[in-house]
Amino acid sequence: MTPDIPAANDLTIISDQVKRCLGYMKTLGVQGFDCSAESLERMELWGKPRLKQTVKEDLEGIKADLGSCSRCRLSSTRKNLVFGSGNPKAVLMFVGEAPGYEEDLKGQPFVGESGQLLTKMIEGMGLTRDDVYIANIIKCRPSDNRNPSPEEIVRCFPFLERQIMAVGPQVICTLGAVATQALLGTHEGISRLRGQFQEYRGMKVLPTFHPAYLLRYPDKKREAWEDLKKIMAVLGLKRPQTLKG
């Protein structure tokens, strides 16, 4: 019996996971691993010649695969997994860092105070939450609403990658530094990255401030609205408003 050969899309996901792990180990000062730019670039080629032959996953299958996840320590403190919600064929996807208290209780992303502001941001673009897809880098709430640890991100991130590939949005809007850095594999701050289009697997990525940050610093809402208008221009949405509330 011959072993199963990973599909090209699987190899692409695996290469991204390996690069992310190597990057974190390098940051932590772990020795004995090849983290050279040449090796990381070589991984980019894994599976690419056959990429168009792969079968696209659906969100329900990914959610079933996630199951009642116990891949990291957060499983022992969460109340609910927060998978994601919205249009499975959305052209616009929002990605945050992690569920908070309200999200953990209800099992839905962005339903607390930050979520109410995100809803206003979406509506200001002339859309509803049912038009977009919303997810987080990790699916369980970190205790005390702390930032996710590198280990937690590494274990959970593959499910977000699969969600992104299943939805296939035209634009991904990352909310805050943690989500932006994890998706783009960078350590640059959100103030430097926001408002500038990046790329992830052929999809446009536009980083902006997290709604929680905007609640603390409402004077930054104007900058966030300028970011959203750039997304509107790409998607052909026309509804000039200001971000209020």
Side-chain angles (χ1 to χ4, degrees):
M1 179 181 296
T2 57
D4 292 335
I5 299 174
N9 192 43
D10 295 331
L11 289 171
T12 303
I13 293 173
I14 291 169
S15 71
D16 283 349
Q17 293 174 19
V18 171
K19 286 187 293 181
R20 199 169 301 279
C21 288
L22 289 175
Y24 277 121
M25 287 190 288
K26 183 177 180 180
T27 300
L28 296 172
V30 178
Q31 302 295 317
F33 295 92
D34 184 1
C35 302
S36 66
E38 181 180 355
S39 294
L40 298 179
E41 288 177 5
R42 190 178 299 120
M43 292 179 197
E44 289 283 354
L45 300 176
W46 290 3
K48 283 195 173 180
R50 295 175 54 197
L51 193 57
K52 293 183 179 179
Q53 302 176 14
T54 61
V55 176
K56 187 175 180 179
E57 288 188 284
D58 62 66
L59 293 171
E60 288 304 315
I62 299 168
K63 187 174 183 179
D65 192 17
L66 180 63
S68 56
C69 183
S70 59
R71 293 169 177 81
C72 79
R73 59 185 179 178
L74 294 181
S75 62
S76 64
T77 58
R78 69 161 189 257
K79 288 184 170 57
N80 286 294
L81 279 165
V82 182
F83 181 72
S85 67
N87 184 349
K89 297 181 180 179
V91 296
L92 174 58
M93 182 171 179
F94 288 91
V95 176
E97 61 185 68
Y101 176 78
E102 291 293 333
E103 290 76 17
D104 184 43
L105 286 179
K106 298 178 181 178
Q108 294 293 323
F110 284 92
V111 292
E113 191 175 6
S114 294
Q116 293 172 24
L117 179 54
L118 178 60
T119 298
K120 292 180 180 179
M121 293 164 68
I122 294 169
E123 291 174 347
M125 302 173 75
L127 301 170
T128 69
R129 287 179 64 117
D130 290 334
D131 294 320
V132 304
Y133 193 80
I134 305 172
N136 284 301
I137 294 292
I138 65 171
K139 311 305 183 191
C140 298
R141 179 199 179 205
S143 57
D144 300 321
N145 288 340
R146 61 171 173 77
N147 288 340
S149 70
E151 177 191 358
E152 291 159 358
I153 292 175
V154 166
R155 291 186 178 276
C156 206
F157 192 81
F159 290 98
L160 174 69
E161 291 182 301
R162 291 166 63 185
Q163 284 175 288
I164 291 172
M165 299 305 289
V167 175
Q170 187 176 341
V171 179
I172 302 168
C173 181
T174 52
L175 302 169
V178 174
T180 300
Q181 291 169 351
L183 190 68
L184 299 179
T186 181
H187 294 290
E188 291 284 355
I190 187 63
S191 294
R192 178 172 294 185
L193 291 171
R194 59 146 289 270
Q196 301 179 54
F197 278 107
Q198 310 289 331
E199 185 174 308
Y200 176 80
R201 295 194 184 182
M203 290 168 272
K204 292 181 181 296
V205 177
L206 197 287
T208 193
F209 296 122
H210 194 284
Y213 178 83
L214 298 177
L215 289 172
R216 294 194 300 270
Y217 303 97
D219 59 308
K220 294 293 184 179
K221 289 182 180 181
R222 181 182 295 276
E223 294 177 48
W225 179 237
E226 293 301 318
D227 297 341
L228 298 184
K229 287 198 293 186
K230 293 179 181 180
I231 295 175
M232 293 169 65
V234 168
L235 299 179
L237 302 174
K238 297 180 180 180
R239 189 177 177 182
Q241 293 188 358
T242 56
L243 185 57
K244 300 178 180 178

